[in-house]
Amino acid sequence: MKRPLRALAAAGLLAAGAIVAVALGGTASADTQICEQYGSTTIGGKYVVQNNRWGTSAQQCINVTSTGFSITRQDGVGSTSGAPVSYPSIFMGCHYTNCSPGTNLPVQVKNISSAPGSISYNYVSGAIYDAAYDIWLDPSPKKDGVNQMEIMIWLNRQGPIQPIGSPVGNASIAGRTWEVWRGSNGSNNVISYVAPSAIPSMSFDAMAFINDTKNRGAITSDWYLTSIQAGFEPWQGGVGLAVNSFSQSVNTGGTTPTTPPPTTTPPPGNAACSVKYTTNVWNNGFTADVTVTNTGSSTVNGWTLNYNLPSGQTITGSWNATVTQSGSAVTARNLSYNGTLAPGASTSFGYQATLNGAFATPTSFTLNGATCTRA
């Protein structure tokens, strides 16, 4: 739950001037400290970081960095059978009239092709909290007040706490198995996906969870995605909890790319590209982030990357490229917005995959027929 600023003003809890300015403005440089109840700032020209101490009058402070934040003080104590005391978080989109810079949200679900995101947390012991990735949706393009649907992805749960509602089964999403809870807090409906053990970092397409929620009949494709947030719900303690980094995009439009022919196709064997292949692996799956760099002297207008996956790896979803697999052969093609690579320029795409057996990485890549070096 997140309490709106206008309700606070009506209750006489907001003083004019300084607190409102902090809540709705400002840009963090290095290590900005926020202790105001609903204080916020922007980072990276794209995200809002908010203190959001909505459930207690006790003090809470966060230290905002260039990529996230950490909790430096948390004096509130909440009953483990009730609600948490706050939700310090980072978000893109609109939250109670506070919209992140340049956001394209709200946007209808049917117009979203992918929503790639990643999160890295720092956890502490001796506290009672959850680490939650929140996705908010509403039948209208709402920028103020409570949305009707909240999707909560619990990447960590510490202490005798539980999501709203009751368990309704399990779901396999983003290469992992989640316990699914469903209920209402009286203001909005909630579907929660709870990890069986702590996940310190994760890269995934948020649309996988949105589509599962849609398949359960909780929303339709005509609903609007209004914000995506990541942070912590502390009940007791929590100093040292941190979002080390957060990345989230929402891509709209069709999934069929426009791929004009390349202006130059270097002869095979002459490297005019480099590829960096970064993975996050668990027991039966992994995600891969692939960065392609044009190391040649000519602009590439439209690119196709080819390589082979080792045995036992099957791609289940992708973002920022059209990725197809036939046997072990993988073909990744640019989308309409990332097909041009000037000399020295890079672009990145990613995917998630299932894993059967030992993990290994591809041994070679070709871009438009040219063999790439490994970065």
Side-chain angles (χ1 to χ4, degrees), residues 254-263 265 300-306 320-323 331-340 367-368:
T255 58
T256 302
T258 301
T259 310
T263 54
T265 302
V300 173
N301 292 311
W303 52 264
T304 299
L305 187 72
N306 295 101
N320 290 345
T322 299
V323 183
T331 300
R333 293 184 174 89
N334 66 275
L335 298 181
S336 59
Y337 56 82
N338 62 357
T340 300
L367 184 72
N368 294 346

Side-chain angles (χ1 to χ4, degrees), residues 76-373:
V77 177
S79 169
T80 55
S81 61
V85 299
S86 63
Y87 183 51
S89 53
I90 180 172
F91 71 87
M92 72 162 294
C94 295
H95 175 77
Y96 287 111
T97 72
N98 193 1
C99 293
S100 59
T103 184
N104 60 345
L105 302 182
V107 66
Q108 282 184 295
V109 170
K110 64 184 179 183
N111 293 327
I112 301 173
S113 56
S114 64
S118 65
I119 184 71
S120 172
Y121 285 114
N122 182 69
Y123 298 138
V124 298
S125 59
I128 299 175
Y129 65 92
D130 69 64
Y133 211 97
D134 258 24
I135 303 170
W136 287 92
L137 302 111
D138 196 81
S140 64
K142 200 169 187 179
K143 297 183 180 181
D144 185 19
V146 177
N147 288 186
Q148 289 190 26
M149 187 71 231
E150 179 183 14
I151 301 173
M152 296 192 73
I153 308 168
W154 285 33
L155 281 78
N156 192 5
R157 170 171 53 169
Q158 296 296 316
I161 56 174
Q162 66 182 41
I164 290 167
S166 57
V168 294
N170 295 300
S172 179
I173 304 174
R176 300 174 184 267
T177 299
W178 309 83
E179 185 180 53
V180 183
W181 290 61
R182 191 165 182 174
S184 172
N185 62 17
S187 298
N188 56 269
N189 296 319
V190 185
I191 292 182
S192 301
Y193 299 87
V194 183
S197 59
I199 301 173
S201 63
M202 183 173 167
S203 297
F204 63 103
D205 189 342
M207 283 302 296
F209 291 92
I210 294 174
N211 287 333
D212 186 80
T213 297
K214 182 179 66 174
N215 292 339
R216 295 174 186 274
I219 65 168
T220 72
S221 294
D222 289 329
W223 282 45
Y224 291 80
L225 172 63
T226 63
S227 72
I228 299 179
Q229 313 178 0
F232 302 94
E233 290 186 320
W235 272 257
Q236 299 173 20
V239 171
L241 291 172
V243 169
N244 299 320
S245 62
F246 170 80
S247 175
Q248 183 65 59
S249 297
V250 175
N251 300 318
T252 59
T255 58
T256 302
T258 301
T259 310
T263 54
T264 58
T265 302
N270 294 338
C273 51
S274 68
V275 173
K276 182 178 181 181
Y277 192 82
T278 306
T279 58
N280 178 29
V281 184
W282 54 93
N283 289 340
N284 59 354
F286 68 96
T287 58
D289 291 306
V290 186
T291 300
V292 181
T293 301
N294 177 10
T295 59
S297 58
S298 300
T299 297
V300 173
N301 292 311
W303 52 264
T304 299
L305 187 72
N306 295 101
Y307 55 97
N308 291 315
L309 282 180
S311 176
Q313 299 181 14
T314 303
I315 294 173
T316 58
S318 62
W319 52 91
N320 290 345
T322 299
V323 183
T324 58
Q325 181 178 4
S326 177
S328 63
V330 175
T331 300
R333 293 184 174 89
N334 66 275
L335 298 181
S336 59
Y337 56 82
N338 62 357
T340 300
L341 292 178
S346 299
T347 190
S348 296
F349 68 92
Y351 54 85
Q352 63 187 44
T354 58
L355 175 63
N356 183 13
F359 177 78
T361 61
T363 57
S364 63
F365 300 83
T366 61
L367 184 72
N368 294 346
T371 301
C372 300
T373 60

